[in-house]
Amino acid sequence: MYKNVRLVVTLFCLLLGVVIQLQAQQNAYHEKQRLQFHFSPPAHWMNDPNGMVYYEGEYHLFYQYYPNDIIWGPMHWGHAVSKDLVYWKNLPIALYPDSLGLIFSGSAVVDWKNTSGFGKNGQAPMLAMFTHHSMEKEKKGSIDVENQSLAYSNDRGRTWTKYTGNPVIPNPGIRDFRDTKVFWHEKSKQWVVVLAAQTQVQFYASPNLKDWKLLSSFGADQGSHSGVWECPDMFPLQVPGSKEEKWVLLVSLNAGSPNGGSGTQYFVGNFDGKQFSNDNPADKVLWLEYGRDNYAGVTWSNAPDGRRIFLGWMSNWEYATKVPTTPWRSANTLARELSLQTTPLGLRVNTQPVANMKKLRERSYSIPTQTISSSLDLSKTSGLVPTQLEVELEVKLPVDSKVNWGLELRNGQGEKYRIGFDAVKNQFFSDRQQAGNADFSAEFAKKIHVAPRESQGRLVKMHLFFDVSSVELFADEGKVVLTDLFFPAQPFSSIALYAEGGSIELVKGQMWALKGIWK
């Protein structure tokens, strides 16, 4: 009798486990607040994108990952691949912590000439260069807790072997010494790595990715030093209308961004294989974007057609571990293409969503050309809601306009979110103060986020992507970018175009419902 009861209980538990697992699979990527056309891990904690490299038709995305909780913990490298930067396939964890430490941020390259000797059967290996972070040393109060190490793959990034000679760049006595970005410098015929060293960056060179020598440092008296420097990236971009190239150096900064917390500054200049020089005044700070929720972004190595494609972590260290999502935390921005643009103030980085995002467009609606002096309910006229929506607007302002205009999202709970342009202050803004749950952090909805307009003239353009609990604004054809999160109690169900303090002339308006990328 007892055996029969035990068998029934065992079978019931097994069946219950199967049911729970199936329900979890069905709910995955469809939980409350889950973004539908941005990459996020199936579950648990994610932060910085790492090791981004294109190889044999796949864009590899590795990322800082803790597979046991939704708060930061011992870092691994999670892994996903995409053929188009839109749809993603999750793969097993690539790198695990070991005796040398946790696996912090880094980069990946294809060693086409097999300079490292790790290749097999005439195939170029993939190399990952990352930071080992020793928690054991940190607990003892040591300074040299971070060192740079290598791993390699001979099966298109599916499995990785750590180099037995790690670390390849030992810590020189710097507390914050991490986040390697490695690239091949053709003119000097050597591998170069740029890494963060407290509030500056350092450059190292190697013939084989294993033996490194220090070249130079940059940044001690350059840009913003309101926080520690992290996650550098450096790459050449062509100057418009010429064959000249300039080098762009990205540096993430925690904290001190324009609207508070984590952000990314950049420098435009020259690199001679040894030193980087800044074309702008040392105290001039250039921001890659102005939103609160784009940090630690870097670009893909080896991208096709020489394109420079960027991806950021969509969060902010002021509240990243507290945002109200489960069973996952954090997503990435949309993939974005970077280019240089000539402006009256000098060369600036321009940012646009990758063209493949058009694959997700479904139903569309053209907003009739008209003058707006109050509010136009776009959901009522189009039948579209702002949970998964792309919007393009071109608005002409009156001379000496004092109008405040933009888009307002609302739901049945009385919550609202606004994003738009203030003609008096000549700035774009994002207002999530009444957009839902903000109790988890006093910093989250403390103020309206603003971004100065870079363009001149009366025609203002806004290109926006709304995805359940996020917005990305590319203003004036990518001159100004702003990324923000919000967490409404229920999804926003209506969107309106409004004008206050005057009128606007809607020259062009287009809306698209967007498909999700997860089944």
Side-chain angles (χ1 to χ4, degrees):
M1 178 69 178
Y2 173 73
K3 290 183 178 179
N4 290 337
V5 171
R6 187 170 62 179
L7 178 62
V8 170
V9 171
T10 300
L11 290 173
F12 175 78
C13 290
L14 288 172
L15 180 61
L16 180 61
V18 170
V19 170
I20 292 173
Q21 186 175 14
L22 288 173
Q23 287 180 336
Q25 290 175 352
Q26 290 174 352
N27 292 334
Y29 287 104
H30 297 285
E31 306 92 347
K32 184 178 180 180
Q33 313 292 7
R34 174 78 83 158
L35 303 187
Q36 292 300 298
F37 55 84
H38 292 75
F39 177 80
S40 58
H44 305 121
W45 170 270
M46 177 184 80
N47 56 288
D48 308 357
N50 297 153
M52 298 183 344
V53 62
Y54 179 83
Y55 184 56
E56 293 190 354
E58 293 180 322
Y59 292 91
H60 288 262
L61 166 63
F62 302 91
Y63 53 90
Q64 292 286 275
Y65 185 54
Y66 181 43
N68 297 327
D69 207 336
I70 59 171
I71 58 173
W72 190 95
M75 286 290 97
H76 302 55
W77 270 24
H79 191 191
V81 292
S82 173
K83 294 184 179 299
D84 59 6
L85 296 167
V86 177
Y87 293 94
W88 292 92
K89 178 183 179 182
N90 289 298
L91 294 177
I93 291 171
L95 296 175
Y96 289 79
D98 56 36
S99 60
L100 293 179
L102 311 183
I103 312 298
F104 273 21
S105 293
S107 55
V109 293
V110 180
D111 184 10
W112 294 109
K113 298 179 181 179
N114 195 25
T115 62
S116 62
F118 293 137
K120 291 183 178 180
N121 303 319
Q123 295 294 312
M126 290 174 63
L127 270 291
M129 192 172 187
F130 59 91
T131 299
H132 262 125
H133 182 101
S134 173
M135 292 302 294
E136 183 178 349
K137 285 187 175 181
E138 182 179 319
K139 290 175 182 177
K140 291 180 179 178
S142 300
I143 291 178
D144 60 338
V145 298
E146 294 176 338
N147 300 273
Q148 317 315 319
S149 295
L150 284 180
Y152 59 92
S153 172
N154 290 299
D155 59 0
R156 296 169 49 246
R158 268 51 182 182
T159 60
W160 292 83
T161 302
K162 290 170 185 163
Y163 177 43
T164 56
N166 285 335
V168 293
I169 305 181
N171 190 297
I174 300 174
R175 182 175 298 279
D176 297 300
F177 182 72
R178 58 178 173 267
D179 306 342
T180 55
K181 181 57 186 279
V182 63
F183 59 92
W184 176 258
H185 187 249
E186 182 60 30
K187 288 185 179 179
S188 60
K189 304 296 182 183
Q190 62 185 350
W191 293 103
V192 174
V193 69
V194 56
L195 57 83
Q198 291 188 317
T199 56
Q200 59 184 325
V201 298
Q202 291 183 341
F203 296 96
Y204 288 77
S206 172
N208 57 14
L209 290 160
K210 295 181 287 190
D211 303 302
W212 294 89
K213 65 177 181 179
L214 177 64
L215 294 174
S216 62
S217 298
F218 170 82
D221 60 348
Q222 304 279 324
S224 174
H225 290 268
S226 55
V228 66
W229 285 21
E230 296 185 309
C231 302
D233 189 3
M234 198 172 77
F235 46 84
L237 289 177
Q238 188 170 343
V239 176
S242 78
K243 295 182 179 180
E244 181 186 8
E245 284 186 335
K246 287 290 183 179
W247 285 81
V248 174
L249 172 63
L250 305 182
V251 177
S252 291
L253 188 74
N254 186 38
S257 71
N259 286 294
S262 314
T264 303
Q265 63 179 325
Y266 71 91
F267 305 87
V268 179
N270 297 291
F271 181 68
D272 62 5
K274 183 176 181 180
Q275 294 181 320
F276 176 83
S277 58
N278 182 15
D279 282 355
N280 291 285
D283 60 351
K284 177 65 176 176
V285 182
L286 304 177
W287 295 103
L288 192 65
E289 86 143 72
Y290 287 85
R292 289 271 274 159
D293 296 305
N294 178 7
Y295 188 63
V298 287
T299 63
W300 264 276
S301 299
N302 196 43
D305 304 318
R307 299 165 66 201
R308 188 52 58 175
I309 303 170
F310 170 97
L311 193 76
W313 172 48
M314 198 184 292
S315 199
N316 191 305
W317 278 118
E318 286 193 341
Y319 44 75
T321 60
K322 304 174 184 177
V323 294
T325 63
T326 186
W328 86 104
R329 269 211 181 103
S330 299
N332 290 128
T333 66
L334 296 180
R336 305 169 176 189
E337 188 157 356
L338 306 183
S339 62
L340 282 180
Q341 187 171 61
T342 303
T343 77
L345 298 175
L347 292 171
R348 297 292 184 264
V349 173
N350 185 273
T351 305
Q352 295 275 24
V354 294
N356 278 350
M357 283 302 299
K358 294 177 182 177
K359 286 184 176 185
L360 300 182
R361 290 176 176 175
E362 291 189 304
R363 289 180 297 142
S364 66
Y365 174 73
S366 294
I367 310 170
T369 301
Q370 57 191 290
T371 299
I372 297 173
S373 56
S374 55
S375 180
L376 174 65
D377 189 336
L378 297 175
S379 293
K380 185 176 181 180
T381 55
S382 69
L384 303 179
V385 295
T387 49
Q388 293 170 224
L389 190 67
E390 179 183 358
V391 183
E392 288 188 352
L393 299 172
E394 293 185 18
V395 165
K396 191 173 184 179
L397 303 177
V399 177
D400 299 325
S401 174
K402 293 181 173 55
V403 69
N404 178 307
W405 69 274
L407 293 170
E408 181 177 276
L409 282 57
R410 284 186 174 271
N411 62 17
Q413 298 284 98
E415 297 167 338
K416 68 177 182 179
Y417 168 75
R418 279 188 166 192
I419 187 166
F421 181 72
D422 185 333
V424 174
K425 296 180 180 178
N426 195 37
Q427 62 188 19
F428 298 94
F429 64 87
S430 169
D431 183 357
R432 62 185 183 191
Q433 292 178 310
Q434 302 177 57
N437 185 358
D439 294 343
F440 56 89
S441 169
E443 301 299 322
F444 185 76
K446 183 162 63 173
K447 63 179 182 178
I448 297 173
H449 309 148
V450 298
R453 190 181 184 212
E454 302 289 342
S455 300
Q456 304 296 320
R458 292 160 55 196
L459 188 66
V460 181
K461 298 181 180 181
M462 295 204 305
H463 187 185
L464 304 106
F465 291 83
F466 297 99
D467 187 2
V468 183
S469 57
S470 75
V471 63
E472 286 164 274
L473 165 66
F474 303 88
D476 288 336
E477 299 179 318
K479 291 183 178 66
V480 175
V481 185
L482 192 154
T483 304
D484 266 354
L485 297 173
F486 42 73
F487 299 101
Q490 64 185 51
F492 287 119
S493 54
S494 70
I495 182 170
L497 176 61
Y498 72 90
E500 296 175 346
S503 63
I504 57 173
E505 180 185 342
L506 180 63
V507 177
K508 180 182 178 181
Q510 191 75 32
M511 304 168 64
W512 294 270
L514 299 181
K515 293 181 289 187
I517 63 173
W518 307 108
K519 293 181 180 179

